[in-house]
Amino acid sequence: MMKKLTGFSLLLLTQLTTPCLAAINNPIVFVTQVPIPGDFCALTSTFCNQQGDIDSSGRGGDLWIRYPDGSLKNLTQAAGLGQTALQGNRSIAVRDPSVHWDGTKVIFSMVIGAPAHFQVKRFNWQLYEITGLGKNDTPVITKVAKQPATYNNVSPTYGTDDSIIFASDRPRGGAAHLYPQLDEYEEAPTVSGLWSLKPSTGALTMLTHAPSGDFSPMVDSFGRVVFTRWDHLQQDQQAAADRAGGDYGTFNYSNESATAKILNSRTEVFPEPIRRDTISLAGTNLTGHSFNQFFPWQINEDGTEMETVNHIGRHELGGSFVDAVFTDDPDLTFQINSLNQNKISNFFQIKQDPTNPNFFIGINAPEFGTHASGQIVRLTNVDPVHNADEMRIDYLTDVSTFSTVGDNETPPPADSGHYRDPAVLSDGTLIAAHTAETRQDKDEGTTSADNANSFPKSRYTFRLRTLKQLPNGTWTADQPLTAGITKDISYFSPDTLRHYSTELWELQPVEVKARPRPARRVASLGAPEQQILQQEGVSEASLRQFLASKGLALAIMRNVTQRDHSDKQQPYNLAVAGSATQTLGNAGKLYEVAHFQAFQADQIRGLFGCCGSTTPKDGRRVLAEPLHSVTANPPLSAGAPKGSVKIASDGSVAMLLPTRRALSWQITDPASKFVVRERNWLTLQPGEIRTCPACHAPNTADQAGHPAVTNPPEALRQLLVFLKANGSLP
């Protein structure tokens, strides 16, 4: 092995031959990163990882390429970017490389510059492309044109039409006073969702509005944009009535505008209070609701047809424990699908297996403490023709390495470790970033005598390695891809001079190889809905044009009394009030339903600064408010809940909804009390007609053992008649 490079020698040399390392067939592009042990709002954190400030991202990492012969090239350095020693205006941090379809260029995110001594300065992650990846080429880096210039743009990937799909913390609608969007957990800054940019025209489209964050998008071979979404739809735990330490300075704004009044209120109406809020739950028949998981989601490239991958969720994967919603119904219970014996808590850094497109691999990791590293797992039957009941989780690396995460001080076994950024290469080789640690990371403290030059010392040493399969079927870390990369780095943070002369983390490997472009997916309208349109003399094109012109979408459910057979956490004996339509899972309590009520994510929860300040901090968290931004639905009947429509006699629903704003909903009884609630946020696009059989529709069978219904929805007919009568449709 060649001696590791340090200091100025690394700045001068761009290629390093490292014999006796792992054999690979194609180049691998990856990034290096300063090892920062803090795992909250840092570059390698599970969330709040988009910030470009010096403490979150560090400085001194680079974009590298490793060639099949083992040689390395520092791509950013060869293109004239980055520096060693004290980080200044030319310093960089790099993340999220993604290879173009033709294999000739890579798009990535980079932040440039470091603060001077005692300087607090905002830095933003921006998108860049690099060409000249060949061993004898001179790399050229170009900033992506017409991207949001004053926000953090991360995790880019190429669309099938060469548009760029990425995550950004640009506010929904671009309103600067709403920056940053604060997540639903601890009101930390988060990305607002996924966006699509056409650099040639500057056309920018919000594909998803994510109240807590969407992460690491990729376009799979079926043309779906697949990503990890943080599902955390619950009331604000920082404002809970029994929160120790008070309300943390939370308050409600009167609306989303820049001139909104600060209210002496923290009212929330959806969903039910969190499980530990015993004060708010006292005297009710509610268990309380807490929801927290990172699971795989999908959309089309235009943002339509958003759902979990193949409709999979906690009943199949695991995730959040959510007990029976009502305490006075003994038939309700927490249940998971016993067909899938392996469970996961979260699913990070999702990639498709190029040798078997029916597999996704990713990381099952805790939310904190391990830099989103843990156990490599595989999700099977991800082809769109499968449904959630057919999907399985396979444990690839040892489950015990994940389960031993903790604050203990016992060193891990020599053959253990955590993994992140897994990738299957085109020849079937499995690679990942690996560290031998299984304990939570902590600052193990290396300081100089006078504490003038210090750096937090991480327990973790992420190195890229191939994995090998043991006789028992478990995969484990094998050969390294590099001999290790060391660099002498220092920067101000902001008054302390941080000094690193350690091995950098190697992260986010991608194989540089051409691959076929998938066909672009286009949403289609189901036969039952087409039948209603034909009978009412309304063309699908004219309906979509009307919706798009008003910035609306249309959601249609065929029979909301149906529930998936696995979901017994909420009522599953449902009947439409005043109708014969019902679906019964057993002989237990029957619930009547009458209205479908929608909620929109309004960014109206604010925070005061610390120490009794009356000055609001920047940014706002979303709260679920009854739908109020759409006035085109039929008028409410007497006693109907705000933002609702009546459920038709056949159990169907048709409702006009706002777009590019997170939405959720519930079905209520005739007295407007909720019966069944959606547990996730969804986003619709202008002109979209979104159809589904029911709320949490059956994967293979409903609570009564029936397949999903195919009835022409009567509610759609009623809506079309109303729209024609008021002149909205010809």
Side-chain angles (χ1 to χ4, degrees):
M1 295 287 186
M2 182 174 176
K3 182 179 179 181
K4 298 175 185 176
L5 295 180
T6 58
F8 189 65
S9 61
L10 182 66
L11 182 64
L12 295 178
L13 296 178
T14 62
Q15 297 191 33
L16 169 63
T17 301
T18 53
C20 303
L21 299 176
I24 57 171
N25 294 327
N26 293 299
I28 303 293
V29 164
F30 63 97
V31 304
T32 53
Q33 165 67 16
V34 172
I36 300 175
D39 194 24
F40 184 80
C41 289
L43 184 148
T44 53
S45 299
T46 58
F47 65 91
C48 188
N49 57 40
Q50 79 288 344
Q51 299 184 106
D53 65 273
I54 195 76
D55 288 326
S56 297
S57 302
R59 293 298 186 269
D62 291 286
L63 186 70
W64 289 78
I65 189 167
R66 196 269 201 187
Y67 296 103
D69 64 1
S71 62
L72 292 172
K73 180 189 289 186
N74 184 330
L75 291 170
T76 40
Q77 177 185 287
L81 289 168
Q83 57 190 118
T84 190
L86 181 63
Q87 302 294 291
N89 291 335
R90 290 178 50 248
S91 68
I92 61 173
V94 187
R95 59 182 291 173
D96 308 325
S98 180
V99 180
H100 188 265
W101 306 106
D102 63 13
T104 64
K105 60 182 177 180
V106 168
I107 190 168
F108 63 100
S109 293
M110 181 166 60
V111 61
I112 300 178
H117 200 193
F118 300 120
Q119 181 185 47
V120 177
K121 185 177 180 181
R122 179 175 165 183
F123 297 90
N124 293 319
W125 289 100
Q126 294 280 279
L127 307 180
Y128 294 83
E129 283 184 314
I130 184 168
T131 57
L133 302 176
K135 194 171 182 181
N136 298 316
D137 295 341
T138 299
V140 176
I141 293 176
T142 306
K143 189 173 183 178
V144 172
K146 301 177 182 178
Q147 63 181 298
T150 57
Y151 300 108
N152 292 294
N153 308 322
V154 297
S155 302
T157 193
Y158 290 102
T160 57
D161 62 352
D162 284 345
S163 61
I164 298 169
I165 298 166
F166 61 102
S168 178
D169 62 2
R170 181 184 189 269
R172 184 194 60 80
H177 69 277
L178 296 179
Y179 183 83
Q181 181 176 294
L182 306 178
D183 69 44
E184 299 166 286
Y185 178 56
E186 294 287 353
E187 269 93 323
T190 188
V191 293
S192 58
L194 299 184
W195 299 73
S196 177
L197 172 70
K198 293 186 181 297
S200 59
T201 64
L204 182 69
T205 302
M206 189 176 210
L207 302 180
T208 68
H209 177 211
S212 285
D214 290 339
F215 309 96
S216 306
M218 62 103 174
V219 179
D220 73 3
S221 64
F222 307 111
R224 301 173 297 187
V225 180
V226 176
F227 55 96
T228 294
R229 161 161 280 213
W230 188 7
D231 297 312
H232 202 59
L233 174 51
Q234 66 174 43
Q235 289 197 17
D236 187 358
Q237 65 184 26
Q238 299 217 118
D242 67 346
R243 174 84 189 223
D247 58 37
Y248 282 70
T250 58
F251 64 88
N252 288 359
Y253 285 99
S254 57
N255 55 54
E256 284 191 331
S257 72
T259 57
K261 296 180 180 179
I262 294 175
L263 305 178
N264 185 24
S265 169
R266 291 185 296 277
T267 301
E268 293 184 66
V269 297
F270 181 91
E272 57 268 41
I274 62 174
R275 186 164 50 196
R276 69 167 179 248
D277 189 352
T278 56
I279 294 176
S280 298
L281 293 171
T284 73
N285 67 336
L286 301 176
T287 300
H289 172 71
S290 297
F291 206 60
N292 186 34
Q293 61 201 26
F294 294 76
F295 274 175
W297 283 72
Q298 67 181 46
I299 54 173
N300 293 339
E301 290 180 82
D302 61 0
T304 59
E305 296 192 315
M306 181 181 186
E307 66 174 342
T308 55
V309 169
N310 293 355
H311 202 238
I312 200 167
R314 60 187 176 85
H315 296 90
E316 294 78 32
L317 293 178
S320 293
F321 177 88
V322 183
D323 213 338
V325 62
F326 297 126
T327 60
D328 55 357
D329 187 344
D331 286 331
L332 302 183
T333 180
F334 173 77
Q335 177 180 332
I336 56 177
N337 190 338
S338 60
L339 295 175
N340 195 353
Q341 298 300 318
N342 293 335
K343 302 300 174 186
I344 58 175
S345 298
N346 301 296
F347 197 44
F348 297 110
Q349 305 141 37
I350 305 169
K351 297 294 183 184
Q352 190 173 27
D353 183 344
T355 67
N356 189 335
N358 217 17
F359 292 163
F360 287 157
I361 62 168
I363 297 296
N364 178 29
E367 189 176 342
F368 293 113
T370 71
H371 307 284
S373 70
Q375 177 193 21
I376 301 179
V377 296
R378 179 170 61 202
L379 181 62
T380 69
N381 291 332
V382 301
D383 186 304
V385 303
H386 292 97
N387 66 62
D389 285 346
E390 300 172 297
M391 300 170 75
R392 299 288 181 273
I393 285 289
D394 296 330
Y395 294 158
L396 298 190
T397 58
D398 191 348
V399 65
S400 66
T401 64
F402 171 67
S403 62
T404 57
V405 171
D407 294 317
N408 67 82
E409 299 302 314
T410 303
D415 60 349
S416 67
H418 277 166
Y419 303 84
R420 58 165 292 149
D421 303 318
V424 179
L425 305 184
S426 55
D427 64 357
T429 300
L430 176 60
I431 64 173
H434 170 262
T435 177
E437 274 291 347
T438 58
R439 298 172 294 176
Q440 288 190 354
D441 200 6
K442 64 177 290 188
D443 181 357
E444 300 209 305
T446 297
T447 62
S448 64
D450 61 1
N451 203 35
N453 299 315
S454 66
F455 67 92
K457 184 179 180 183
S458 171
R459 286 172 164 174
Y460 284 44
T461 53
F462 287 113
R463 292 278 303 282
L464 294 181
R465 294 181 180 272
T466 59
L467 278 77
K468 64 181 179 181
Q469 193 170 23
L470 302 176
N472 66 0
T474 300
W475 292 79
T476 189
D478 193 20
Q479 295 176 305
L481 268 66
T482 79
I485 299 173
T486 302
K487 191 174 183 181
D488 188 76
I489 298 166
S490 59
Y491 55 78
F492 289 104
S493 170
D495 52 348
T496 300
L497 182 64
R498 305 293 189 190
H499 177 223
Y500 295 81
S501 185
T502 58
E503 196 169 272
L504 301 181
W505 287 345
E506 301 167 5
L507 304 170
Q508 300 175 335
V510 291
E511 184 178 24
V512 181
K513 185 180 185 298
R515 55 203 166 99
R517 293 179 191 249
R520 191 175 179 89
R521 289 169 60 92
V522 178
S524 60
L525 194 60
E529 290 72 31
Q530 290 182 10
Q531 179 179 330
I532 295 291
L533 290 179
Q534 292 170 359
Q535 291 173 353
E536 294 303 317
V538 176
S539 71
E540 179 181 343
S542 64
L543 178 57
R544 291 187 185 274
Q545 183 179 15
F546 159 71
L547 294 171
S549 69
K550 301 296 184 181
L552 298 174
L554 171 58
I556 304 167
M557 279 136 280
R558 296 171 187 164
N559 185 354
V560 296
T561 69
Q562 276 199 322
R563 303 281 293 157
D564 184 72
H565 68 91
S566 293
D567 190 353
K568 297 185 178 180
Q569 188 262 341
Q570 300 194 76
Y572 54 91
N573 289 326
L574 304 176
V576 177
S579 166
T581 301
Q582 62 180 22
T583 308
L584 307 180
N586 63 14
K589 183 177 179 180
L590 180 67
Y591 297 78
E592 284 193 327
V593 297
H595 304 100
F596 179 91
Q597 184 182 22
F599 294 85
Q600 62 183 63
D602 283 354
Q603 218 168 324
I604 59 172
R605 171 55 53 83
L607 288 170
F608 289 121
C610 73
C611 314
S613 171
T614 57
T615 301
K617 296 172 64 176
D618 290 340
R620 305 182 190 180
R621 177 199 194 270
V622 305
L623 296 183
E625 293 288 289
L627 180 67
H628 58 83
S629 60
V630 174
T631 59
N633 286 300
L636 297 176
S637 57
K642 182 179 180 181
S644 71
V645 294
K646 182 178 175 60
I647 298 173
S649 59
D650 63 348
S652 63
V653 167
M655 189 175 195
L656 300 174
L657 293 169
T659 56
R660 296 173 184 158
R661 180 193 291 270
L663 303 167
S664 197
W665 49 78
Q666 65 185 17
I667 53 178
T668 75
D669 66 13
S672 299
K673 294 182 179 179
F674 88 89
V675 177
V676 174
R677 281 176 160 160
E678 176 62 54
R679 296 305 194 192
N680 299 99
W681 293 106
L682 294 176
T683 310
L684 302 171
Q685 293 295 319
E688 182 175 2
I689 304 175
R690 183 64 186 275
T691 64
C692 63
C695 301
H696 195 181
N699 293 324
T700 53
D702 69 8
Q703 66 270 47
H706 304 143
V709 295
T710 58
N711 59 293
E714 184 61 27
L716 176 58
R717 185 192 312 278
Q718 295 170 2
L719 178 62
L720 294 177
V721 170
F722 169 76
L723 293 175
K724 288 193 294 183
N726 68 19
S728 298
L729 290 175

